[in-house]
Amino acid sequence: MESKKYVIAMDQGTTSSRAILFNKRGEIQSSQQREFRQIFPKPGWVEHDPMEIWSTQMGVAMEAMQKIDARPEDIAAIGITNQRETTVIWDAATGRPVYNAIVWQCRRTSDIIDRLKSDGLSGYIQEKTGLIPDAYFSASKIAWILRNVPGVKERARRGELRFGTVDSWLIWNLTDGRVHATDYTNASRTMLFDIHKLCWDEEILDYFGIPASLLPEVRPSSSYFGETERFGGAIPICGAAGDQQAALFGQCGFNPGEVKCTYGTGGFMLMNTGRDPIHSQKGLLTTIAAGEEDRVSYALEGSAFIAGAAIQWLRDEMRMIRTSPQSQTYCEAVPDSGGVYIVPAFSGMGAPYWEQYARGTIVGLTRGVSKDHFIRATVESLAYQMNDLLSAMKEESRLSLSTLRVDGGASANNFLMQFQSDISGVHIERPRCIETTALGAAYLAGLRVGYWKDRNEIRSNWACEHEFVPTIAQDYRRKLLKGWKKAVKTAIFWAQEEENDTI
Protein backbone atom coordinates (compact mmCIF):
# COMPACT_ATOMS: atom_id res chain seq x y z
CA MET A 1 0.00 0.00 0.00
CA GLU A 2 3.02 2.35 0.19
CA SER A 3 2.66 3.14 -3.52
CA LYS A 4 -1.01 4.03 -3.11
CA LYS A 5 -1.68 7.68 -2.39
CA TYR A 6 -5.43 7.93 -1.80
CA VAL A 7 -8.69 6.27 -0.89
CA ILE A 8 -11.81 7.47 -2.71
CA ALA A 9 -15.04 7.96 -0.79
CA MET A 10 -18.19 8.01 -2.90
CA ASP A 11 -20.70 9.90 -0.76
CA GLN A 12 -24.10 9.58 -2.41
CA GLY A 13 -26.48 11.80 -0.45
CA THR A 14 -30.12 12.80 -0.63
CA THR A 15 -29.58 16.04 -2.52
CA SER A 16 -26.12 15.64 -4.04
CA SER A 17 -23.43 13.20 -5.09
CA ARG A 18 -19.92 13.82 -3.81
CA ALA A 19 -16.52 12.21 -4.20
CA ILE A 20 -13.58 12.89 -1.89
CA LEU A 21 -10.00 11.65 -2.09
CA PHE A 22 -8.38 11.23 1.34
CA ASN A 23 -4.74 10.69 2.24
CA LYS A 24 -3.37 8.60 5.13
CA ARG A 25 -3.83 11.43 7.61
CA GLY A 26 -7.53 11.51 6.77
CA GLU A 27 -7.12 14.87 5.02
CA ILE A 28 -9.15 15.89 1.97
CA GLN A 29 -6.93 16.06 -1.10
CA SER A 30 -9.65 16.59 -3.68
CA SER A 31 -13.40 16.95 -3.58
CA GLN A 32 -16.17 17.36 -6.10
CA GLN A 33 -19.92 17.63 -5.57
CA ARG A 34 -23.01 17.95 -7.75
CA GLU A 35 -26.65 18.38 -6.80
CA PHE A 36 -29.34 16.43 -8.65
CA ARG A 37 -33.08 16.75 -9.12
CA GLN A 38 -35.59 16.25 -6.34
CA ILE A 39 -38.82 14.91 -7.87
CA PHE A 40 -42.14 15.56 -6.10
CA PRO A 41 -44.95 13.88 -8.11
CA LYS A 42 -47.55 14.50 -5.39
CA PRO A 43 -47.61 16.10 -1.93
CA GLY A 44 -45.59 13.89 0.42
CA TRP A 45 -44.03 11.92 -2.45
CA VAL A 46 -40.26 12.16 -3.07
CA GLU A 47 -38.36 10.45 -5.89
CA HIS A 48 -34.94 10.45 -7.54
CA ASP A 49 -33.89 9.33 -11.00
CA PRO A 50 -31.53 6.36 -10.37
CA MET A 51 -29.67 7.03 -13.62
CA GLU A 52 -29.04 10.59 -12.48
CA ILE A 53 -27.75 9.28 -9.13
CA TRP A 54 -25.35 7.01 -11.01
CA SER A 55 -24.22 9.58 -13.59
CA THR A 56 -23.61 12.35 -11.05
CA GLN A 57 -21.75 10.00 -8.70
CA MET A 58 -19.55 8.67 -11.48
CA GLY A 59 -19.00 12.18 -12.83
CA VAL A 60 -17.84 13.71 -9.55
CA ALA A 61 -15.51 10.76 -8.85
CA MET A 62 -13.77 11.21 -12.20
CA GLU A 63 -13.58 14.98 -11.75
CA ALA A 64 -12.14 14.68 -8.23
CA MET A 65 -9.40 12.40 -9.57
CA GLN A 66 -8.68 14.69 -12.51
CA LYS A 67 -8.33 17.75 -10.26
CA ILE A 68 -5.15 16.31 -8.74
CA ASP A 69 -4.17 14.10 -11.69
CA ALA A 70 -4.83 10.92 -9.68
CA ARG A 71 -4.61 7.72 -11.69
CA PRO A 72 -6.23 4.35 -10.96
CA GLU A 73 -2.88 2.99 -9.76
CA ASP A 74 -2.80 5.78 -7.13
CA ILE A 75 -6.07 4.62 -5.55
CA ALA A 76 -5.91 1.99 -2.80
CA ALA A 77 -9.65 1.38 -2.67
CA ILE A 78 -13.14 2.85 -3.03
CA GLY A 79 -15.53 3.19 -0.10
CA ILE A 80 -19.22 3.91 -0.62
CA THR A 81 -21.60 5.66 1.73
CA ASN A 82 -25.16 6.50 0.84
CA GLN A 83 -28.55 7.89 1.69
CA ARG A 84 -30.22 4.97 3.42
CA GLU A 85 -33.63 3.32 2.86
CA THR A 86 -34.03 4.88 -0.60
CA THR A 87 -35.26 2.09 -2.84
CA VAL A 88 -34.24 1.18 -6.39
CA ILE A 89 -35.51 -1.79 -8.42
CA TRP A 90 -33.90 -2.53 -11.78
CA ASP A 91 -33.81 -5.09 -14.58
CA ALA A 92 -31.03 -7.64 -14.00
CA ALA A 93 -30.39 -8.02 -17.73
CA THR A 94 -30.38 -4.39 -18.86
CA GLY A 95 -29.56 -2.56 -15.62
CA ARG A 96 -32.40 -0.13 -16.29
CA PRO A 97 -34.60 0.95 -13.35
CA VAL A 98 -38.24 -0.11 -13.56
CA TYR A 99 -39.31 3.04 -11.67
CA ASN A 100 -37.77 6.08 -10.07
CA ALA A 101 -35.99 5.60 -6.74
CA ILE A 102 -38.45 6.11 -3.87
CA VAL A 103 -36.62 8.31 -1.37
CA TRP A 104 -36.48 7.68 2.37
CA GLN A 105 -38.46 10.91 2.93
CA CYS A 106 -41.41 9.71 0.83
CA ARG A 107 -44.68 9.16 2.72
CA ARG A 108 -46.74 7.46 -0.04
CA THR A 109 -46.66 4.09 1.74
CA SER A 110 -48.09 5.27 5.06
CA ASP A 111 -51.28 3.28 4.43
CA ILE A 112 -49.24 0.08 3.96
CA ILE A 113 -47.66 0.69 7.38
CA ASP A 114 -51.08 1.39 8.91
CA ARG A 115 -52.26 -1.98 7.60
CA LEU A 116 -49.18 -3.74 8.97
CA LYS A 117 -49.85 -2.26 12.41
CA SER A 118 -53.50 -3.27 12.32
CA ASP A 119 -52.39 -6.79 11.35
CA GLY A 120 -50.48 -6.93 14.64
CA LEU A 121 -46.96 -7.17 13.20
CA SER A 122 -45.40 -4.15 14.93
CA GLY A 123 -43.89 -6.18 17.77
CA TYR A 124 -42.45 -8.80 15.43
CA ILE A 125 -40.92 -6.13 13.19
CA GLN A 126 -39.25 -4.36 16.10
CA GLU A 127 -38.00 -7.62 17.65
CA LYS A 128 -36.41 -8.89 14.43
CA THR A 129 -35.26 -5.71 12.69
CA GLY A 130 -34.80 -3.26 15.58
CA LEU A 131 -36.99 -0.78 13.71
CA ILE A 132 -40.33 0.81 14.45
CA PRO A 133 -42.68 0.24 11.48
CA ASP A 134 -42.72 3.35 9.31
CA ALA A 135 -42.91 4.40 5.67
CA TYR A 136 -39.35 5.69 6.17
CA PHE A 137 -37.85 2.22 5.59
CA SER A 138 -37.40 0.28 2.36
CA ALA A 139 -39.86 -2.63 2.81
CA SER A 140 -43.09 -0.76 2.09
CA LYS A 141 -41.42 1.11 -0.79
CA ILE A 142 -40.51 -2.19 -2.47
CA ALA A 143 -44.06 -3.43 -1.91
CA TRP A 144 -45.49 -0.26 -3.47
CA ILE A 145 -43.42 -0.66 -6.64
CA LEU A 146 -44.35 -4.34 -6.93
CA ARG A 147 -48.04 -3.52 -6.56
CA ASN A 148 -48.28 -0.33 -8.61
CA VAL A 149 -45.86 -0.50 -11.54
CA PRO A 150 -47.39 -2.65 -14.34
CA GLY A 151 -45.71 -6.00 -14.88
CA VAL A 152 -43.14 -5.58 -12.12
CA LYS A 153 -44.61 -8.13 -9.69
CA GLU A 154 -44.58 -10.88 -12.34
CA ARG A 155 -41.05 -10.03 -13.46
CA ALA A 156 -39.85 -10.06 -9.84
CA ARG A 157 -41.38 -13.53 -9.33
CA ARG A 158 -39.54 -14.76 -12.42
CA GLY A 159 -36.24 -13.53 -10.90
CA GLU A 160 -35.67 -10.90 -13.59
CA LEU A 161 -35.36 -7.88 -11.25
CA ARG A 162 -33.02 -6.71 -8.50
CA PHE A 163 -33.62 -4.49 -5.49
CA GLY A 164 -31.03 -2.36 -3.80
CA THR A 165 -30.50 0.57 -1.55
CA VAL A 166 -28.26 3.15 -3.22
CA ASP A 167 -25.03 1.38 -2.23
CA SER A 168 -26.16 -1.77 -4.07
CA TRP A 169 -27.19 0.28 -7.10
CA LEU A 170 -23.73 1.89 -7.26
CA ILE A 171 -21.87 -1.40 -6.69
CA TRP A 172 -23.92 -3.07 -9.44
CA ASN A 173 -23.04 -0.32 -11.90
CA LEU A 174 -19.40 -0.01 -10.85
CA THR A 175 -18.91 -3.75 -11.37
CA ASP A 176 -20.92 -3.84 -14.63
CA GLY A 177 -23.59 -6.05 -13.06
CA ARG A 178 -21.20 -8.66 -11.65
CA VAL A 179 -21.93 -7.95 -7.97
CA HIS A 180 -25.34 -7.62 -6.31
CA ALA A 181 -24.48 -6.91 -2.68
CA THR A 182 -25.06 -4.63 0.28
CA ASP A 183 -23.60 -4.34 3.75
CA TYR A 184 -25.01 -5.05 7.21
CA THR A 185 -25.77 -1.39 7.96
CA ASN A 186 -27.85 -0.78 4.84
CA ALA A 187 -29.59 -4.14 5.15
CA SER A 188 -30.55 -3.23 8.71
CA ARG A 189 -32.49 -0.23 7.39
CA THR A 190 -34.75 -2.09 5.00
CA MET A 191 -37.15 -3.45 7.68
CA LEU A 192 -36.56 -6.87 6.11
CA PHE A 193 -33.33 -7.93 7.85
CA ASP A 194 -32.99 -9.92 11.08
CA ILE A 195 -30.25 -7.98 12.87
CA HIS A 196 -29.62 -10.85 15.31
CA LYS A 197 -29.32 -13.77 12.84
CA LEU A 198 -27.86 -11.45 10.15
CA CYS A 199 -30.14 -12.69 7.38
CA TRP A 200 -33.26 -11.67 5.47
CA ASP A 201 -36.41 -12.54 7.43
CA GLU A 202 -38.65 -14.91 5.45
CA GLU A 203 -41.83 -14.08 7.38
CA ILE A 204 -41.50 -10.35 6.68
CA LEU A 205 -40.69 -11.02 3.02
CA ASP A 206 -43.82 -13.16 2.76
CA TYR A 207 -45.97 -10.47 4.37
CA PHE A 208 -44.88 -7.84 1.84
CA GLY A 209 -44.87 -10.28 -1.09
CA ILE A 210 -41.17 -9.71 -1.83
CA PRO A 211 -39.34 -12.57 -3.63
CA ALA A 212 -35.96 -13.45 -2.06
CA SER A 213 -34.38 -13.38 -5.55
CA LEU A 214 -34.86 -9.62 -5.55
CA LEU A 215 -32.49 -9.10 -2.60
CA PRO A 216 -28.72 -8.52 -2.52
CA GLU A 217 -26.13 -10.61 -0.71
CA VAL A 218 -25.25 -9.05 2.67
CA ARG A 219 -21.59 -8.57 3.65
CA PRO A 220 -19.63 -6.80 6.43
CA SER A 221 -19.17 -3.06 5.90
CA SER A 222 -15.41 -3.46 5.43
CA SER A 223 -15.09 -6.27 2.91
CA TYR A 224 -14.40 -6.92 -0.74
CA PHE A 225 -17.32 -5.90 -2.97
CA GLY A 226 -15.55 -6.53 -6.27
CA GLU A 227 -13.54 -4.18 -8.42
CA THR A 228 -14.35 -1.54 -10.96
CA GLU A 229 -12.70 -0.86 -14.31
CA ARG A 230 -14.70 2.32 -14.86
CA PHE A 231 -11.71 4.61 -14.24
CA GLY A 232 -9.37 3.06 -16.78
CA GLY A 233 -7.80 0.56 -14.38
CA ALA A 234 -8.86 -1.90 -11.70
CA ILE A 235 -9.74 -0.38 -8.30
CA PRO A 236 -11.16 -2.55 -5.49
CA ILE A 237 -14.43 -1.58 -3.79
CA CYS A 238 -13.80 -2.51 -0.16
CA GLY A 239 -16.17 -0.47 1.99
CA ALA A 240 -19.88 0.24 2.11
CA ALA A 241 -22.02 1.68 4.88
CA GLY A 242 -25.15 3.74 5.27
CA ASP A 243 -24.36 7.40 5.78
CA GLN A 244 -25.06 7.59 9.51
CA GLN A 245 -23.13 4.49 10.45
CA ALA A 246 -20.27 5.68 8.24
CA ALA A 247 -20.29 9.01 10.10
CA LEU A 248 -20.10 7.23 13.48
CA PHE A 249 -17.09 5.30 12.18
CA GLY A 250 -15.54 8.47 10.78
CA GLN A 251 -15.96 10.12 14.20
CA CYS A 252 -14.08 7.17 15.72
CA GLY A 253 -17.17 6.07 17.64
CA PHE A 254 -15.75 2.60 18.09
CA ASN A 255 -16.57 2.06 21.77
CA PRO A 256 -19.86 1.67 23.67
CA GLY A 257 -21.26 5.01 24.80
CA GLU A 258 -19.62 7.12 22.09
CA VAL A 259 -22.14 9.37 20.31
CA LYS A 260 -22.20 11.45 17.15
CA CYS A 261 -24.82 13.70 15.59
CA THR A 262 -24.95 14.44 11.86
CA TYR A 263 -26.77 17.54 10.62
CA GLY A 264 -27.49 16.63 7.03
CA THR A 265 -30.74 16.75 5.10
CA GLY A 266 -32.14 15.03 8.17
CA GLY A 267 -30.68 14.96 11.67
CA PHE A 268 -29.26 11.68 12.92
CA MET A 269 -27.81 10.71 16.28
CA LEU A 270 -26.07 7.37 16.82
CA MET A 271 -24.59 5.85 19.94
CA ASN A 272 -22.41 2.75 19.84
CA THR A 273 -23.84 0.19 22.29
CA GLY A 274 -21.29 -2.58 21.68
CA ARG A 275 -21.97 -6.25 21.05
CA ASP A 276 -25.40 -6.30 22.70
CA PRO A 277 -28.41 -4.59 21.11
CA ILE A 278 -30.55 -2.33 23.29
CA HIS A 279 -34.24 -2.56 22.44
CA SER A 280 -35.67 0.90 22.92
CA GLN A 281 -38.83 1.75 24.78
CA LYS A 282 -38.46 5.45 23.93
CA GLY A 283 -38.91 5.48 20.17
CA LEU A 284 -35.25 4.97 19.27
CA LEU A 285 -34.12 2.43 16.70
CA THR A 286 -31.75 -0.49 17.21
CA THR A 287 -29.43 -0.76 14.25
CA ILE A 288 -26.09 -2.23 13.22
CA ALA A 289 -22.96 -0.10 13.51
CA ALA A 290 -20.36 -0.21 10.74
CA GLY A 291 -17.37 -2.44 11.42
CA GLU A 292 -14.70 -4.43 9.72
CA GLU A 293 -15.26 -7.72 11.60
CA ASP A 294 -17.77 -10.43 10.88
CA ARG A 295 -19.16 -10.06 14.38
CA VAL A 296 -21.22 -6.90 14.44
CA SER A 297 -21.61 -4.08 16.93
CA TYR A 298 -24.95 -2.39 17.51
CA ALA A 299 -26.08 1.19 17.90
CA LEU A 300 -29.05 3.16 19.14
CA GLU A 301 -30.27 5.68 16.60
CA GLY A 302 -32.61 8.61 16.66
CA SER A 303 -33.67 10.30 13.44
CA ALA A 304 -35.30 13.63 12.67
CA PHE A 305 -36.47 13.59 9.07
CA ILE A 306 -35.88 17.31 8.49
CA ALA A 307 -32.77 19.15 9.64
CA GLY A 308 -30.60 20.85 7.01
CA ALA A 309 -33.56 20.48 4.65
CA ALA A 310 -35.33 23.13 6.78
CA ILE A 311 -32.56 25.59 5.96
CA GLN A 312 -32.80 24.63 2.28
CA TRP A 313 -36.55 25.34 2.59
CA LEU A 314 -35.75 28.85 3.84
CA ARG A 315 -33.47 29.29 0.83
CA ASP A 316 -35.37 27.62 -2.02
CA GLU A 317 -39.09 27.73 -1.20
CA MET A 318 -39.39 30.66 1.25
CA ARG A 319 -36.58 32.66 -0.42
CA MET A 320 -35.64 34.25 2.90
CA ILE A 321 -31.92 33.61 2.42
CA ARG A 322 -29.73 33.38 -0.66
CA THR A 323 -27.25 30.83 0.74
CA SER A 324 -27.47 28.37 3.62
CA PRO A 325 -24.50 29.86 5.56
CA GLN A 326 -26.31 33.21 5.51
CA SER A 327 -28.79 31.82 8.05
CA GLN A 328 -26.21 32.26 10.81
CA THR A 329 -26.06 36.04 10.24
CA TYR A 330 -29.85 36.35 10.57
CA CYS A 331 -29.90 34.20 13.71
CA GLU A 332 -27.30 36.39 15.39
CA ALA A 333 -29.17 39.60 14.48
CA VAL A 334 -31.80 38.99 17.20
CA PRO A 335 -31.41 37.89 20.85
CA ASP A 336 -34.02 35.12 20.58
CA SER A 337 -36.76 33.76 18.32
CA GLY A 338 -39.37 36.23 19.59
CA GLY A 339 -41.39 33.40 21.10
CA VAL A 340 -41.75 31.60 17.75
CA TYR A 341 -41.31 27.83 17.45
CA ILE A 342 -41.22 26.00 14.13
CA VAL A 343 -41.69 22.25 14.02
CA PRO A 344 -40.41 21.22 10.56
CA ALA A 345 -42.48 18.04 10.26
CA PHE A 346 -42.62 18.29 6.46
CA SER A 347 -42.39 14.48 6.16
CA GLY A 348 -43.96 13.46 9.44
CA MET A 349 -42.04 13.16 12.70
CA GLY A 350 -39.36 10.58 13.43
CA ALA A 351 -37.92 9.59 16.80
CA PRO A 352 -38.95 9.74 19.53
CA TYR A 353 -42.53 10.61 18.38
CA TRP A 354 -43.06 8.54 15.19
CA GLU A 355 -46.11 10.43 14.00
CA GLN A 356 -46.13 9.85 10.25
CA TYR A 357 -49.09 12.16 9.58
CA ALA A 358 -47.74 15.19 11.47
CA ARG A 359 -47.00 18.23 9.33
CA GLY A 360 -44.95 21.39 9.71
CA THR A 361 -46.26 23.77 12.36
CA ILE A 362 -45.50 27.39 13.31
CA VAL A 363 -46.63 28.67 16.70
CA GLY A 364 -46.14 31.85 18.72
CA LEU A 365 -46.50 34.39 15.91
CA THR A 366 -47.09 38.02 16.92
CA ARG A 367 -47.05 41.28 14.99
CA GLY A 368 -43.51 41.92 16.19
CA VAL A 369 -42.05 38.78 14.63
CA SER A 370 -39.56 39.57 11.86
CA LYS A 371 -37.79 37.57 9.18
CA ASP A 372 -34.82 37.32 11.54
CA HIS A 373 -37.00 35.67 14.21
CA PHE A 374 -38.51 33.28 11.66
CA ILE A 375 -35.10 32.17 10.39
CA ARG A 376 -33.75 31.81 13.92
CA ALA A 377 -36.75 29.69 14.98
CA THR A 378 -36.18 27.42 11.98
CA VAL A 379 -32.49 26.95 12.79
CA GLU A 380 -33.26 26.42 16.48
CA SER A 381 -35.68 23.62 15.53
CA LEU A 382 -32.71 21.50 14.48
CA ALA A 383 -31.23 21.74 17.97
CA TYR A 384 -34.55 21.05 19.69
CA GLN A 385 -35.07 17.89 17.64
CA MET A 386 -31.56 16.66 18.39
CA ASN A 387 -32.06 17.36 22.08
CA ASP A 388 -35.18 15.17 22.06
CA LEU A 389 -33.04 12.34 20.69
CA LEU A 390 -30.19 12.94 23.12
CA SER A 391 -32.54 12.94 26.11
CA ALA A 392 -34.10 9.64 25.02
CA MET A 393 -30.66 8.13 24.41
CA LYS A 394 -29.40 9.08 27.86
CA GLU A 395 -32.44 7.52 29.48
CA GLU A 396 -32.37 4.39 27.33
CA SER A 397 -28.65 3.65 27.66
CA ARG A 398 -28.33 4.80 31.29
CA LEU A 399 -25.04 6.37 30.31
CA SER A 400 -23.96 9.91 31.13
CA LEU A 401 -23.32 11.61 27.80
CA SER A 402 -21.31 14.73 28.51
CA THR A 403 -19.77 15.13 25.04
CA LEU A 404 -21.38 15.08 21.61
CA ARG A 405 -19.34 14.91 18.41
CA VAL A 406 -20.98 16.66 15.48
CA ASP A 407 -20.63 16.67 11.70
CA GLY A 408 -22.56 17.34 8.52
CA GLY A 409 -23.07 20.57 6.61
CA ALA A 410 -25.14 22.45 9.21
CA SER A 411 -22.57 21.72 11.94
CA ALA A 412 -20.49 24.50 10.36
CA ASN A 413 -23.10 26.97 11.69
CA ASN A 414 -21.57 28.29 14.92
CA PHE A 415 -24.87 29.73 16.12
CA LEU A 416 -26.58 26.35 15.78
CA MET A 417 -23.77 24.50 17.56
CA GLN A 418 -23.76 26.97 20.48
CA PHE A 419 -27.55 26.78 20.78
CA GLN A 420 -27.32 22.97 20.69
CA SER A 421 -24.81 23.05 23.54
CA ASP A 422 -26.98 25.49 25.51
CA ILE A 423 -30.26 23.64 25.06
CA SER A 424 -28.77 20.18 25.70
CA GLY A 425 -26.30 21.08 28.44
CA VAL A 426 -23.45 19.15 26.81
CA HIS A 427 -20.00 19.91 25.46
CA ILE A 428 -19.91 19.72 21.67
CA GLU A 429 -16.81 18.80 19.68
CA ARG A 430 -16.64 19.64 16.00
CA PRO A 431 -13.78 17.89 14.21
CA ARG A 432 -11.35 19.53 11.86
CA CYS A 433 -12.85 17.42 9.05
CA ILE A 434 -16.64 17.61 9.22
CA GLU A 435 -16.99 15.34 6.18
CA THR A 436 -16.97 12.36 8.53
CA THR A 437 -19.55 10.40 6.54
CA ALA A 438 -17.21 10.21 3.56
CA LEU A 439 -14.22 9.75 5.87
CA GLY A 440 -15.89 6.76 7.54
CA ALA A 441 -16.45 5.11 4.16
CA ALA A 442 -12.81 5.75 3.27
CA TYR A 443 -11.64 4.26 6.57
CA LEU A 444 -13.74 1.12 6.09
CA ALA A 445 -12.29 0.58 2.61
CA GLY A 446 -8.73 1.49 3.59
CA LEU A 447 -8.69 -0.86 6.57
CA ARG A 448 -9.74 -3.77 4.35
CA VAL A 449 -6.77 -3.31 2.00
CA GLY A 450 -4.23 -2.33 4.69
CA TYR A 451 -3.95 1.33 3.70
CA TRP A 452 -4.57 2.04 7.39
CA LYS A 453 -3.14 -0.50 9.81
CA ASP A 454 -5.83 -0.49 12.48
CA ARG A 455 -8.35 1.62 14.39
CA ASN A 456 -5.64 3.16 16.55
CA GLU A 457 -4.01 4.69 13.47
CA ILE A 458 -7.40 6.06 12.44
CA ARG A 459 -8.11 7.46 15.90
CA SER A 460 -4.82 9.37 15.82
CA ASN A 461 -6.12 11.29 12.79
CA TRP A 462 -9.12 12.74 14.67
CA ALA A 463 -8.65 16.37 15.75
CA CYS A 464 -11.06 18.86 17.35
CA GLU A 465 -11.51 22.11 15.43
CA HIS A 466 -13.89 23.84 17.85
CA GLU A 467 -15.55 23.09 21.19
CA PHE A 468 -18.83 24.60 22.34
CA VAL A 469 -19.84 24.68 26.02
CA PRO A 470 -23.21 25.54 27.63
CA THR A 471 -23.69 29.20 28.58
CA ILE A 472 -27.35 29.62 29.56
CA ALA A 473 -29.01 29.19 32.97
CA GLN A 474 -30.99 26.05 33.79
CA ASP A 475 -34.23 27.98 34.34
CA TYR A 476 -34.02 29.59 30.91
CA ARG A 477 -33.21 26.21 29.32
CA ARG A 478 -36.28 24.66 30.94
CA LYS A 479 -38.46 27.55 29.73
CA LEU A 480 -37.28 27.14 26.13
CA LEU A 481 -37.76 23.37 26.21
CA LYS A 482 -41.26 23.75 27.65
CA GLY A 483 -42.22 25.95 24.68
CA TRP A 484 -40.79 23.40 22.25
CA LYS A 485 -42.78 20.57 23.82
CA LYS A 486 -45.99 22.59 23.43
CA ALA A 487 -45.18 23.22 19.77
CA VAL A 488 -44.59 19.51 19.16
CA LYS A 489 -47.94 18.67 20.78
CA THR A 490 -49.56 21.11 18.35
CA ALA A 491 -47.97 19.39 15.34
CA ILE A 492 -49.12 15.98 16.59
CA PHE A 493 -52.63 17.30 17.29
CA TRP A 494 -52.86 18.40 13.66
CA ALA A 495 -52.32 14.78 12.61
CA GLN A 496 -55.20 13.47 14.72
CA GLU A 497 -57.92 14.18 12.17
CA GLU A 498 -60.76 12.22 13.72
CA GLU A 499 -60.38 13.91 17.08
CA ASN A 500 -60.04 17.35 15.47
CA ASP A 501 -63.26 16.80 13.50
CA THR A 502 -65.25 16.76 16.75
CA ILE A 503 -64.28 20.35 17.60
Side-chain angles (χ1 to χ4, degrees):
M1 285 296 115
E2 290 300 319
S3 63
K4 304 294 185 180
K5 299 178 183 178
Y6 316 108
V7 172
I8 294 180
M10 291 187 173
D11 183 356
Q12 205 299 301
T14 306
T15 58
S16 68
S17 296
R18 183 182 326 200
I20 301 178
L21 275 66
F22 291 97
N23 66 11
K24 277 205 169 188
R25 293 183 297 278
E27 298 166 336
I28 295 174
Q29 300 302 290
S30 179
S31 178
Q32 200 72 11
Q33 181 174 359
R34 186 170 302 141
E35 292 191 356
F36 55 87
R37 284 183 305 145
Q38 305 297 302
I39 303 168
F40 307 105
K42 296 181 181 180
W45 291 31
V46 190
E47 297 177 357
H48 293 154
D49 179 348
M51 299 307 295
E52 195 173 357
I53 287 175
W54 164 238
S55 64
T56 55
Q57 187 61 72
M58 191 63 191
V60 293
M62 295 185 74
E63 290 165 14
M65 289 177 64
Q66 290 167 359
K67 280 173 75 174
I68 56 172
D69 197 27
R71 303 172 185 274
E73 55 267 28
D74 297 326
I75 309 301
I78 292 171
I80 295 171
T81 184
N82 55 285
Q83 53 166 316
R84 303 173 304 172
E85 298 95 19
T86 295
T87 295
V88 186
I89 296 179
W90 65 92
D91 186 299
T94 67
R96 298 295 301 183
V98 301
Y99 188 77
N100 274 342
I102 301 182
V103 181
W104 59 272
Q105 297 164 313
C106 187
R107 308 309 297 173
R108 78 182 65 185
T109 61
S110 295
D111 59 334
I112 297 176
I113 299 300
D114 287 342
R115 196 171 307 118
L116 180 149
K117 292 176 180 177
S118 67
D119 288 341
L121 277 179
S122 293
Y124 184 87
I125 293 287
Q126 189 167 12
E127 176 191 346
K128 295 293 185 179
T129 70
L131 307 177
I132 294 170
D134 194 85
Y136 176 26
F137 306 111
S138 310
S140 62
K141 303 180 192 300
I142 300 171
W144 189 94
I145 294 174
L146 294 179
R147 297 172 191 178
N148 290 277
V149 180
V152 165
K153 182 187 294 185
E154 292 73 22
R155 293 171 67 194
R157 285 175 177 166
R158 292 196 298 267
E160 297 173 3
L161 304 181
R162 299 291 180 264
F163 152 75
T165 43
V166 170
D167 60 310
S168 296
W169 171 241
L170 294 178
I171 291 167
W172 175 276
N173 282 287
L174 285 166
T175 62
D176 295 302
R178 293 188 302 273
V179 180
H180 183 215
T182 188
D183 86 300
Y184 288 140
T185 69
N186 278 296
S188 75
R189 309 298 296 187
T190 60
M191 214 172 78
L192 299 170
F193 191 71
D194 187 325
I195 63 172
H196 310 287
K197 295 179 181 177
L198 303 180
C199 63
W200 301 111
D201 187 275
E202 291 183 9
E203 187 169 333
I204 303 175
L205 292 177
D206 287 345
Y207 177 83
F208 284 108
I210 298 172
S213 62
L214 205 60
L215 304 174
E217 177 191 344
V218 188
R219 303 177 184 177
S221 303
S222 182
S223 58
Y224 180 69
F225 289 92
E227 64 181 25
T228 182
E229 299 272 357
R230 293 276 188 168
F231 298 92
I235 304 174
I237 306 161
C238 289
D243 51 11
Q244 303 316 314
Q245 288 96 333
L248 181 65
F249 203 84
Q251 287 278 33
C252 301
F254 306 140
N255 298 323
E258 294 182 325
V259 188
K260 73 89 198 175
C261 183
T262 296
Y263 301 81
T265 302
F268 302 89
M269 189 174 292
L270 263 73
M271 180 180 71
N272 189 320
T273 62
R275 301 300 188 186
D276 299 316
I278 295 175
H279 285 283
S280 173
Q281 305 299 316
K282 301 288 181 183
L284 300 175
L285 305 177
T286 307
T287 194
I288 295 177
E292 71 271 26
E293 304 96 356
D294 288 334
R295 188 180 173 198
V296 302
S297 293
Y298 294 92
L300 275 177
E301 175 174 338
S303 310
F305 299 151
I306 301 295
I311 299 175
Q312 291 175 328
W313 170 69
L314 290 175
R315 182 192 68 190
D316 299 339
E317 279 76 36
M318 302 302 289
R319 299 183 183 179
M320 288 187 170
I321 54 176
R322 288 189 299 276
T323 65
S324 295
Q326 197 179 24
S327 62
Q328 180 175 328
T329 304
Y330 283 102
C331 290
E332 293 170 343
V334 286
D336 53 44
S337 67
V340 175
Y341 289 88
I342 294 178
V343 183
F346 305 148
S347 302
M349 297 182 73
Y353 306 104
W354 293 106
E355 178 49 73
Q356 60 182 0
Y357 295 109
R359 289 295 177 264
T361 305
I362 303 167
V363 300
L365 286 175
T366 65
R367 180 65 180 81
V369 169
S370 67
K371 182 169 93 167
D372 297 349
H373 294 117
F374 193 94
I375 292 170
R376 178 164 174 151
T378 303
V379 174
E380 286 182 352
S381 74
L382 278 63
Y384 284 123
Q385 291 180 97
M386 295 305 101
N387 183 68
D388 287 341
L389 302 179
L390 187 63
S391 298
M393 213 164 270
K394 285 180 180 178
E395 192 172 344
E396 207 82 80
S397 67
R398 299 181 181 177
L399 295 172
S400 176
L401 308 178
S402 59
T403 302
L404 179 65
R405 287 187 171 179
V406 299
D407 53 61
S411 72
N413 186 317
N414 286 341
F415 166 80
L416 173 59
M417 292 300 96
Q418 183 59 57
F419 189 76
Q420 185 74 77
S421 179
D422 287 340
I423 210 68
S424 300
V426 296
H427 287 229
I428 287 179
E429 294 179 343
R430 184 172 65 199
R432 191 173 297 158
C433 176
I434 64 171
E435 299 298 345
T436 54
T437 299
L439 185 57
Y443 282 155
L444 288 164
L447 282 168
R448 177 64 176 77
V449 297
Y451 183 77
W452 287 287
K453 184 174 63 175
D454 54 30
R455 291 183 177 191
N456 289 331
E457 184 177 359
I458 286 172
R459 197 183 287 277
S460 69
N461 284 342
W462 195 93
C464 183
E465 179 266 333
H466 197 101
E467 185 177 17
F468 300 86
V469 299
T471 59
I472 65 173
Q474 282 280 10
D475 287 348
Y476 186 47
R477 180 183 296 132
R478 280 193 288 267
K479 178 184 176 183
L480 291 174
L481 289 171
K482 183 179 179 181
W484 169 253
K485 294 292 185 185
K486 288 172 66 179
V488 167
K489 286 179 181 177
T490 305
I492 293 173
F493 180 78
W494 176 265
Q496 297 168 349
E497 293 183 14
E498 291 183 5
E499 292 181 24
N500 291 351
D501 289 344
T502 65
I503 296 175

